[in-house]
Amino acid sequence: MNPTGLWSSPALRWIAAGMVVVNGFFPAVWILFTSLKSEAELVQKPITWWPAKPMLDNYLRAFTDQPLLTYLKNSLLVACGATALSLVVAAFAAYAIARLNLKRRQLILTCIVASSMFPLVTLLVPIFETMRALGWLNTYIALILPYVVLNMPVCTLVLVSFFQSIPRDLENAAMIDGCTRMGALWRVVVPLAAPGVFTAGILAFVNSWDEFLLALSLNSSPAVRTLPVGIALYQGEFTFPWPIISAALIVAIVPVAILIALFQERVVGGLTQGGLKG
């Protein structure tokens, strides 16, 4: 049987799409159901899928047992700051690679990809020592700057493919009209590459929002603690209040879900166009 003809079957395509949806949404749905259960219902057998008596007390306790609003604010500040700075720096890097006559351009791209392959744990000690020497431990900047470095490879690669697809004549026309090269970048190239900018921004935001290891190591003060680290503190030495932890996780998922819902078309278009252009 021809494999191409097999996979062109509508039934198989629906099955494959269903598997992707279930794999992506089932954990979030299960966490949501868990957040609406009591601890007694959670451990009873047989397992109940839907909460017998949905309750919102776990959400109240999630905000009262730990300063969840503070953690949420800190994560928003860090993720938004890291995303904005990542896009600015990545735009400069991507424009230089896409437009300037750089020697060994492919080698530069290879080095960018290679830099993203280092395990974060191997970078932890140098980053910690650098932040301590600068006196930046327990500050927002201690997380924002490392996140910018970690986001740079993927943001740069996404933007390079979009910048390369934009005709040079548009920039030349803008510079003839009086724009500098920098002005042409921000007034012509970046707006035309908006799907790629949104895609890179979403990826940078999610990476910064979810990061745990650096947030745990660099910021120990409750005043600047981010959401992933704060959620880990709900568990005690011998207790794991899963309904309360699940409620806090739902709170952590909501901002990312809203962001993706608002920019869904741009992100999907950016990923598709980037794949075709790359």
Side-chain angles (χ1 to χ4, degrees):
M1 182 180 294
N2 186 356
T4 304
L6 178 65
W7 284 108
S8 65
S9 169
L12 285 178
R13 290 203 298 268
W14 277 106
I15 292 173
M19 292 174 64
V20 172
V21 171
V22 169
N23 181 66
F25 283 95
F26 178 76
V29 173
W30 182 252
I31 292 172
L32 176 62
F33 288 169
T34 302
S35 70
L36 299 173
K37 295 180 180 180
S38 64
E39 291 194 33
E41 184 180 359
L42 187 64
V43 298
Q44 73 180 17
K45 294 183 179 181
I47 296 175
T48 57
W49 296 90
W50 179 259
K53 294 181 179 179
M55 52 187 295
L56 298 177
D57 292 351
N58 296 320
Y59 288 89
L60 179 61
R61 288 194 58 186
F63 282 95
T64 56
D65 288 7
Q66 295 286 342
L68 192 61
L69 280 177
T70 300
Y71 301 155
L72 188 62
K73 178 201 71 173
N74 294 337
S75 286
L76 282 172
L77 289 174
V78 169
C80 290
T83 300
L85 194 54
S86 296
L87 290 178
V88 172
V89 178
F92 285 126
Y95 185 78
I97 295 172
R99 286 291 190 260
L100 304 183
N101 295 321
L102 298 177
K103 295 182 179 180
R104 303 184 184 279
R105 181 180 306 175
Q106 195 59 43
L107 178 61
I108 294 174
L109 287 173
T110 302
C111 291
I112 291 175
V113 174
S115 67
S116 66
M117 297 182 180
F118 288 96
L120 183 56
V121 68
T122 63
L123 306 175
L124 179 59
V125 173
I127 292 175
F128 182 88
E129 292 297 331
T130 300
M131 294 302 163
R132 184 172 66 174
L134 294 172
W136 288 349
L137 292 179
N138 292 318
T139 64
Y140 295 131
I141 198 69
L143 294 180
I144 290 176
L145 290 183
Y147 289 171
V148 171
V149 174
L150 295 176
N151 292 330
M152 271 292 296
V154 64
C155 291
T156 302
L157 292 175
V158 169
L159 292 179
V160 164
S161 64
F162 279 86
F163 288 178
Q164 287 177 335
S165 68
I166 297 173
R168 292 176 181 265
D169 293 342
L170 297 176
E171 296 169 66
N172 294 334
M175 287 188 282
I176 290 174
D177 289 339
C179 270
T180 62
R181 182 175 287 276
M182 196 67 63
L185 167 63
W186 295 113
R187 295 181 183 181
V188 177
V189 177
V190 170
L192 290 175
V197 174
F198 277 99
T199 302
I202 293 292
L203 294 174
F205 183 89
V206 173
N207 288 339
S208 303
W209 182 266
D210 292 341
E211 201 282 325
F212 178 81
L213 182 60
L214 289 179
L216 176 66
S217 305
L218 301 179
N219 284 358
S220 59
S221 171
V224 292
R225 188 173 287 150
T226 56
L227 203 54
V229 179
I231 292 175
L233 298 178
Y234 282 96
Q235 70 182 53
E237 185 177 359
F238 302 106
T239 59
F240 290 86
W242 291 118
I244 300 174
I245 294 175
S246 298
L249 288 172
I250 292 297
V251 172
I253 291 172
V254 167
V256 176
I258 292 175
L259 191 65
I260 293 177
L262 290 176
F263 301 109
Q264 177 183 5
E265 293 185 4
R266 288 183 177 273
V267 173
V268 173
L271 289 173
T272 305
Q273 294 175 35
L276 293 175
K277 294 170 185 173

